[in-house]
């Protein structure tokens, strides 16, 4: 569904991403982990075509996206939902209008049909009946759920999540994790999730790719990543005291 081949990204002479090779199968949830500044968001922006790679190819479905015109990219983006780090809701619109936004922009559905979809998607994310509420009346976790409802409103085949649990308490984070998993199960979507939270990564991933210094240093299932022989991976997932038997494991915290 998504394939990056020998992708390099230089910005102002800095090698932000180097020789990235990664494929995400249809229906798979690929979680991208890595320290701050390692290039995770840049990778997501390349996949949606907001950035063009310096070299290499990025295939989404059957299209190499760096060669597409803006119109063709917009067409492809109809198949992609984005859940941004800070929810990115329109503050002057109600929850219902936010969720309906893509449907009004990109489909010819009647207002009645749009209302039905909005109601259904809000029910999916546990916010049934909240259409008339304004975003500033919602908690951070609720905003993320609205953002997810908006992303899935157009029935995308691919959903990209940038730090979906950032700033949330552990209980709300777990709710969001469950939603990401149920969205995958119910809609069969292909997901790419950037996260710092190892608990989330282990909860939702089919596979995890770790980026370090602009390179992918490990890709594998949750079990494979946990058992990685790479000390950088071990240190990242288990914290600084990775080697001690009594080490405090970040994902158990
Ligand atoms: N437009 C830009 N111009 C210059 N440098 C950039 C630009 N975008 C990203 N970078 C640099 O690229 C590197 C990777 O940034 P990116 O945002 O992809 O990292 P990240 O892993 O998502 O970080 P975080 O976890 O903190 O969000 C950083 O060093 C950043 O400063």
């Amino acid at each position: 569904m998504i394939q990056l081949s020998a992708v390099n990204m230089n910005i102002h002479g800095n090698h932000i991403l180097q020789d990235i090779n990664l494929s995400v199968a249809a229906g798979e949830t690929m979680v991208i982990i890595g320290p701050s500044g390692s290039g995770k968001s840049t990778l997501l922006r390349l996949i949606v075509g907001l950035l063009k790679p310096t070299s290499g190819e990025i295939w989404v479905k059957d299209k190499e996206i760096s060669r597409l015109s803006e119109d063709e990219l917009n067409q492809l983006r109809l198949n992609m939902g984005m859940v941004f780090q800070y929810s990115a809701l329109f503050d002057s619109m109600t929850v219902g209008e936010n969720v309906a936004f893509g449907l009004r922009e990109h489909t010819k559905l009647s207002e009645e049909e749009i209302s039905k979809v909005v109601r259904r998607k809000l029910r999916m994310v546990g916010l049934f009946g909240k259409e008339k509420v304004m975003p500033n009346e919602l908690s951070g976790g609720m905003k993320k759920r609205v953002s997810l409802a908006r992303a899935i409103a157009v029935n995308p085949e691919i959903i990209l999540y940038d730090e979906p649990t950032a700033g949330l308490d552990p209980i709300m984070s777990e709710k969001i994790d469950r939603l990401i998993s149920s969205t995958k199960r119910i809609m069969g979507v292909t997901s790419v999730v950037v996260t710092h939270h190892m608990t989330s990564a282990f909860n939702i991933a089919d596979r995890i790719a770790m980026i370090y210094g602009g390179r992918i240093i490990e890709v594998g299932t949750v079990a494979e990543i946990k058992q990685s022989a790479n000390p950088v991976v071990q240190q990242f997932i288990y914290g600084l005291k990775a080697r001690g038997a009594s080490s405090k494991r970040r994902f158990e915290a």
Side-chain angles (χ1 to χ4, degrees), residues 11-12 14 16-17 34-43 45 51 85 162-163 194 196 211:
I11 302 180
H12 307 315
N14 294 324
I16 310 290
L17 291 173
S36 224
S38 56
K40 305 180 297 295
S41 301
T42 305
L43 189 70
R45 296 176 77 200
L51 290 174
Q85 192 163 355
D162 196 358
E163 299 279 2
V194 164
H196 274 112
I211 303 195

Side-chain angles (χ1 to χ4, degrees), residues 239-251:
L240 282 173
K241 297 180 195 157
R243 269 159 289 160
S246 61
S247 62
K248 181 167 166 43
R249 299 184 168 196
R250 280 176 60 184
F251 70 93

Side-chain angles (χ1 to χ4, degrees), residues 125-142:
V125 301
L127 291 174
F128 184 69
K130 298 279 185 209
E131 284 91 331
K132 299 267 186 296
V133 175
M134 298 304 287
N136 64 11
E137 297 169 55
L138 300 174
S139 71
M142 288 163 112

Side-chain angles (χ1 to χ4, degrees), residues 165-166 168-178 197 200:
T165 56
L168 302 182
D169 66 48
I171 293 170
M172 187 53 79
S173 294
E174 206 179 314
K175 270 192 189 160
I176 299 286
D177 291 345
R178 276 202 233 114
H197 287 171
S200 288

